[in-house]
Amino acid sequence: MGERWQERFRAGRVGLPSWAREAPDHSLFRSDVSGTWELYAWDRASGERRQVTKRHHGTETGAIDPTGAWVWWFDDSGGDEFGVWRRRPFTGGPDERAFPGLEPSFMGGLALGAGGSAVVGRSTDHGFSAHAGWAGGAAETVYAHREEGWVCGLSRDGSLIALAHSEHGDSRHMAVRVLRAPGTAPGAGDTVADLWDGPGRDLTPVGFAPAGTCLLVLHERHGRREPLLWDPLTGDEREIRLGLAGEVWADWTPAGALLVTEEARGRTALYRYDLGTESLTRLDVPEGVVSAAAERPDGTVEYAWSSAAHPPVVRDTSGSVVLRADGPQAPPSVPAEDAFVEGPGGTVHALVSRPATGTAPYPTVFCLHGGPQVQDRDSFDPAVAAWVDHGFAVVRVNYRGSTGYGAAWRDALEGRVGLTELEDVTAVRDWAVTTGLADPDRLVVEGGSWGGYLALLALGRHPHDWSAGIAAVPIADYATAYADEMEALRSFDRALFGGAPDQVPDRYRRSSPITYAAALRAPVLVLAGENDPRCPIRQVDTYLDRLAALGKEHEVYRFDAGHGSFVVDERIRQMAAELDFALRVTAGEGAAAGAS
């Protein structure tokens, strides 16, 4: 059993390959076949694949330039997400700092043009800035503001830059600005046009059309995300009303159509929308989740797909496998079932995975997703499969704050952070017990990042509901976390809470796990990254010190990385620690107070 669950982590995985606009045979993809997530160049004409990056903690973010001549990646230190952009020739060779004059920062987006032109977004304690120039030389500052933003696109001719910004003070609901790029009249950084839908309505710029100046933007004017075409030079707008029930993401195809992904009830559907005929065509994709998709110049659509039962694969719409990792494939797992539970804010959707053997009521783990602005979906997850292999039922709750269920559902947590989400988790927890799915004496609440925060909060606010808790890279002491986290997250927190901790202290106190540490009854395991910029280590230590002073049962697992790890062996060690802890506690063996 133990070997089987580890096989799912060790099985090589590949991401959807991107391709160079002017050299489509030059592709770039991520893979963990080396044991660490890294970037790989793929020459489709020759079939050659070559590892581009090799870093101790792995590499998360990269891009290929439109000419296919250069591979870019973000080079941070120890997983702390603070670093610089580097690039290397696609055919191999030494790497170089893309813009030697730019100091290290957190990522704020990247847009690449032909001929080495680029726009780099940077986030620091001083706010957000965007810099444009030619790689290897100097970069000109074209935008700077105390509030956060993100570089989103560069027009085909290199004259226009699109960025999202939050100058109005709400980084959860962005506005869009288009600027002049360097070398254009009247001047670099001059505003061409602004687009803002007002308070509480987000705008997400996706990218410029393959030809012309039309910008694809995702808007929320009708309560959920939908596409909008906006020409910043003329001001013309065109809403694309697709008539789909779910939320959508869209991107351009090389021919100027839209490739549309619809998210509904934790699953996705893929469509192609022809702007000329205004026709929407559903593509033949199995039920499950398309995590990424793109259309090639020949019209073939490639996509990365998985389901809870079936491991991930990169296919195209003809059914062919486009790219497969070397080595053994991951063993399958069990399918996910839907549950719809009435909560205080409406119907809550959850996904349930039952062990293949045994009978209910099962020992059950509630795996709470991070974000909070993401959702649990019917996709393959080696961690969920590991719990199921060990006899646990797994329940994943798309609580208020999750995406995929409309803007109102996503924003319902504002002002009552953590408390709102737990109302939904509690409703599903009670449903799982009353229907006989879950054994109330063997209930574990588990999560990472925001999910880890909710797990700690649940243990303190609802101490009689849970037998054990596991929190990976969590927020544990919110005020201390705010003081140490990256500025982009401080901006996010101010939007969530309605201000900083010194402005609305009671809100932060009510929503902070450390406030309820004395109420804990169940043992807890905390996993923490030493270099985490999102949920910094000092606030975790503050919480653990409080537990120790109160004599609360707890264990600690520390690891040398940031907000999680891209190293397969480290992920296995963390999963083993979680399983060992949960099995001991649910068997009545307890946890060792203060163990590390």
Side-chain angles (χ1 to χ4, degrees):
M1 182 185 298
E3 292 183 357
R4 182 176 173 84
W5 74 260
Q6 291 184 23
E7 286 174 10
R8 296 194 188 90
F9 283 90
R10 294 196 188 282
R13 287 162 292 175
V14 294
L16 183 75
S18 59
W19 50 274
R21 186 179 70 210
E22 297 174 15
D25 284 337
H26 285 199
S27 285
L28 182 71
F29 64 91
R30 287 182 76 224
S31 177
D32 65 351
V33 292
S34 69
T36 304
W37 281 100
E38 298 289 0
L39 299 177
Y40 290 76
W42 176 25
D43 187 326
R44 296 189 182 213
S46 68
E48 179 188 7
R49 302 181 197 171
R50 183 179 56 262
Q51 186 171 340
V52 176
T53 57
K54 186 177 181 181
R55 303 166 66 241
H56 177 68
H57 291 91
T59 307
E60 180 178 17
T61 304
I64 188 168
D65 85 316
T67 66
W70 294 90
V71 173
W72 291 57
W73 76 92
F74 192 75
D75 184 14
D76 65 352
S77 176
D80 65 0
E81 303 180 44
F82 192 80
V84 299
W85 285 100
R86 294 187 179 276
R87 68 174 193 160
R88 176 179 297 176
F90 180 86
T91 53
D95 63 88
E96 64 182 31
R97 283 273 294 269
F99 288 106
L102 292 181
E103 294 299 316
S105 69
F106 295 108
M107 280 188 292
L110 174 72
L112 299 179
S117 64
V119 186
V120 173
R122 300 172 68 250
S123 178
T124 69
D125 285 343
H126 303 293
F128 169 77
S129 58
H131 310 265
W134 281 261
E140 182 177 350
T141 301
V142 294
Y143 178 88
H145 198 276
R146 186 70 183 85
E147 296 292 343
E148 282 302 308
W150 191 264
V151 169
C152 300
L154 186 63
S155 63
R156 183 71 173 261
D157 65 2
S159 66
L160 300 177
I161 300 167
L163 56 85
H165 71 83
S166 57
E167 292 180 8
H168 51 284
D170 180 1
S171 66
R172 283 170 52 84
H173 305 95
M174 291 279 196
V176 181
R177 179 166 297 164
V178 172
L179 308 172
R180 295 284 182 188
T184 59
D190 286 356
T191 297
V192 175
D194 283 297
L195 188 65
W196 185 42
D197 278 354
R201 290 184 172 182
D202 184 55
L203 291 172
T204 302
V206 176
F208 288 97
T213 58
C214 186
L215 183 67
L216 174 61
V217 179
L218 300 177
H219 70 91
E220 297 178 343
R221 295 172 181 177
H222 310 293
R224 62 183 62 241
R225 201 169 55 216
E226 295 178 295
L228 167 74
L229 303 182
W230 174 52
D231 190 325
L233 297 185
T234 65
D236 292 341
E237 295 183 18
R238 176 183 173 186
E239 290 187 20
I240 308 298
R241 305 301 298 271
L242 299 172
L244 299 174
E247 288 192 325
V248 304
W249 179 267
D251 204 348
W252 294 103
T253 72
L258 299 183
L259 187 62
V260 176
T261 303
E262 178 196 20
E263 297 180 342
R265 296 182 172 182
R267 296 167 182 86
T268 58
L270 200 59
Y271 302 84
R272 193 178 192 277
Y273 182 79
D274 187 291
L275 292 170
T277 62
E278 299 185 344
S279 59
L280 184 69
T281 304
R282 182 162 182 165
L283 304 183
D284 186 13
V285 174
E287 182 176 275
V289 172
V290 174
S291 58
E295 184 170 305
R296 298 274 295 164
D298 64 1
T300 302
V301 175
E302 298 178 346
Y303 61 93
W305 175 91
S306 73
S307 70
H310 300 288
V313 63
V314 178
R315 290 196 182 109
D316 62 29
T317 42
S318 73
S320 301
V321 174
V322 174
L323 185 64
R324 189 191 300 276
D326 296 331
Q329 300 302 295
S333 187
V334 300
E337 308 169 10
D338 293 304
F340 298 96
V341 179
E342 290 308 311
T347 302
V348 185
H349 178 220
L351 295 169
V352 178
S353 300
R354 300 173 186 261
T357 60
T359 57
Y362 305 102
T364 300
V365 57
F366 273 63
C367 293
L368 306 182
H369 70 70
Q373 290 186 193
V374 296
Q375 61 176 302
D376 273 318
R377 303 188 293 179
D378 181 15
S379 57
F380 194 77
D381 187 335
V384 171
W387 287 113
V388 170
D389 279 0
H390 285 80
F392 288 84
V394 177
V395 180
R396 293 177 287 164
V397 182
N398 281 326
Y399 49 76
R400 280 171 288 169
S402 305
T403 55
Y405 301 87
W409 188 264
R410 181 200 63 209
D411 292 344
L413 77 170
E414 293 179 0
R416 295 187 71 250
V417 178
L419 312 181
T420 297
E421 301 96 291
L422 286 191
E423 290 178 347
D424 295 341
V425 172
T426 298
V428 179
R429 181 260 179 213
D430 293 346
W431 164 87
V433 171
T434 57
T435 59
L437 169 72
D439 182 345
D441 296 322
R442 293 183 294 170
L443 268 177
V444 180
V445 60
E446 185 269 357
S449 191
W450 197 266
Y453 157 66
L454 293 178
L456 294 182
L457 197 62
L459 292 172
R461 285 187 59 87
H462 303 284
H464 296 279
D465 283 358
W466 307 101
S467 309
I470 301 172
V473 292
I475 298 170
D477 174 359
Y478 221 126
T480 304
Y482 181 91
D484 293 353
E485 67 193 8
M486 59 175 71
E487 176 56 31
L489 288 182
R490 291 193 196 115
S491 176
F492 184 86
D493 286 341
R494 291 192 296 271
L496 273 181
F497 284 90
D502 61 343
Q503 296 170 313
V504 286
D506 288 344
R507 291 185 179 181
Y508 281 85
R509 180 187 57 78
R510 286 195 301 269
S511 296
S512 184
I514 200 170
T515 302
Y516 310 99
L520 261 69
R521 296 170 58 90
V524 59
L525 168 66
V526 177
L527 301 91
E530 297 284 358
N531 306 317
D532 192 341
R534 297 174 180 268
C535 299
I537 194 67
R538 184 169 72 100
Q539 53 94 27
V540 173
D541 286 338
T542 302
Y543 181 81
L544 295 172
D545 289 345
R546 180 71 58 84
L547 293 186
L550 292 166
K552 301 296 182 180
E553 285 188 272
H554 66 283
E555 297 182 12
V556 186
Y557 181 102
R558 296 175 181 269
F559 57 94
D560 177 25
H563 197 61
S565 176
F566 299 125
V567 179
V568 172
D569 284 344
E570 176 56 36
R571 292 189 65 211
I572 291 174
R573 287 191 290 269
Q574 292 178 24
M575 189 74 241
E578 293 196 21
L579 288 168
D580 174 71
F581 175 82
L583 289 167
R584 281 189 285 111
V585 173
T586 56
E589 298 178 22
S596 62

